[in-house]
Amino acid sequence: MSGTVTAGIDGSPESRAAAEWAAREALLRRLQLKIVYVREPVPRRLAQNPLLDPDAYRHWAEQTVQEAAEGIRLRHPGLTVVTEQLTGTVADILCEAAGPAELLVLGSRGLGGIGGFLAGSVSLAVVARAERPVVLVRADERAADEHRTDPAGVPSAATPFRPVVLGLDIDDPDDTLLEFAFEAAVRRKAPLRAVHSWPEPPTSFYRFAGDVELYDSLARGQAELLSKVLRPWRQKFPDVEVIESSRCGSAAQNVVEDSRDASLAVVGRRIRTGLFGDRIGHVTHAAIHHVTAPVAVVPHS
């Protein structure tokens, strides 16, 4: 096992759920799991405060990491688990930890006031900057949630996986993103639903004659373009059932809606250099904040 799946923990429920998901993913990939805890350096003026005990904090961090690792070893006896404690700015250190890993897994908090999820400033900063895939996992994520219900309608980890959903821009498809999604579907023996969106024709706002014919022609053309992009990947991964979803409308909304029954949602983030780097696109942003399944953000050129 040359690679790792790395999970960042901080003792919160969402980070524990992320570590559990990372353990299951490491088993699927036949890799080891690394659990990382990052301690922020204590400012000198605060370190002199008698109410703040750096040694107690260090002990608590060590205990948090060890308890998480021991629990995962008990639940997944065939998995190799290693731990590491690092010191520094959390987002910076996690981005560095992501470098040698196959992917980095972080927690994402529960529902916010507007009905979406709260990713947190650290998670968003890492997603925007990491050059390796980052997966965000909700606090209440369970293994059974990624699987179809059993015949009695009860969630069960013994049933097949739900589909892997891929948000795809066919105008600029990226091989890194496509390969990540197809390989995720292969590991899960799950269907892959490729979601492509296209804008409504301008004339539809004015109800011109021939709008229906124009819409149908555009729909057929966009569906054919999606099939063309996916064709070589179907050939490369012949065992993956591919579901093509080409729809008019908001790309962000369509990805969120098509991910309601997903085991994993996969979206991309373009690596940008220069003045306006470190950005998260609107589709990825929507997936992070509104998709209930784990969300994999794959950086690409």
Side-chain angles (χ1 to χ4, degrees):
M1 293 183 293
S2 58
T4 64
V5 172
T6 297
I9 69 166
D10 57 11
S12 64
E14 56 268 24
S15 73
R16 290 194 293 269
E20 284 292 334
W21 188 93
R24 299 194 297 271
E25 183 69 13
L27 286 170
L28 286 174
R29 292 171 175 255
R30 299 181 180 180
L31 299 175
Q32 70 177 4
L33 171 67
K34 177 185 283 188
I35 298 176
V36 174
Y37 186 98
V38 182
R39 290 187 287 116
E40 290 269 14
V42 179
R44 182 176 300 177
R45 59 184 177 83
L46 293 180
Q48 297 172 352
N49 188 330
L51 298 178
L52 180 62
D53 186 347
D55 291 335
Y57 174 40
R58 188 179 303 109
H59 175 72
W60 177 85
E62 292 173 354
Q63 186 177 16
T64 298
V65 172
Q66 293 306 319
E67 287 179 352
E70 289 170 8
I72 288 173
R73 290 188 186 105
L74 287 172
R75 289 183 291 275
H76 307 284
L79 178 64
T80 300
V81 183
V82 298
T83 64
E84 187 173 19
Q85 293 188 61
L86 303 168
T87 302
T89 303
V90 177
D92 293 343
I93 299 300
L94 287 175
C95 284
E96 292 177 10
E102 293 292 318
L103 74 164
L104 175 68
V105 187
L106 302 175
S108 182
R109 295 199 296 275
L111 286 169
I114 58 173
F117 290 92
L118 301 173
S121 58
V122 170
S123 295
L124 288 176
V126 175
V127 166
R129 293 164 48 195
E131 296 189 0
R132 299 294 294 165
V134 179
V135 179
L136 298 184
V137 179
R138 312 305 179 195
D140 57 353
E141 169 69 17
R142 302 172 301 166
D145 297 333
E146 300 168 28
H147 295 256
R148 301 185 186 277
T149 56
D150 65 15
V154 178
S156 171
T159 59
F161 276 94
R162 296 176 182 272
V164 173
V165 173
L166 167 64
L168 185 60
D169 178 5
I170 64 171
D171 292 330
D172 190 18
D174 183 82
D175 288 352
T176 303
L177 179 64
L178 282 155
E179 187 166 31
F180 184 99
F182 270 89
E183 288 182 346
V186 168
R187 293 188 192 98
R188 290 161 175 76
K189 299 180 181 178
L192 174 66
R193 181 182 300 143
V195 181
H196 158 60
S197 302
W198 46 278
E200 192 170 13
T203 60
S204 64
F205 294 107
Y206 303 100
R207 310 289 183 185
F208 287 161
D211 275 355
V212 173
E213 291 80 2
L214 173 61
Y215 182 94
D216 289 345
S217 175
L218 285 172
R220 287 193 301 271
Q222 292 294 321
E224 289 171 0
L225 289 173
L226 176 59
S227 295
K228 182 178 179 180
V229 169
L230 293 173
R231 191 170 298 125
W233 294 94
R234 284 178 177 271
Q235 295 169 354
K236 185 176 181 179
F237 295 92
D239 294 333
V240 175
E241 176 191 354
V242 180
I243 303 166
E244 299 181 11
S245 175
S246 175
R247 304 209 309 277
C248 177
S250 163
Q253 183 176 346
N254 288 343
V255 167
V256 171
E257 289 179 354
D258 276 334
S259 298
R260 287 177 178 172
D261 65 340
S263 62
L264 177 69
V266 181
V267 290
R269 179 188 68 80
R270 187 172 299 281
I271 298 174
R272 303 176 188 273
T273 58
L275 183 62
F276 299 104
D278 300 344
R279 289 181 58 246
I280 300 174
H282 72 286
V283 175
T284 297
H285 194 274
I288 289 172
H289 288 284
H290 296 287
V291 173
T292 58
V295 176
V297 181
V298 181
H300 58 85
S301 58

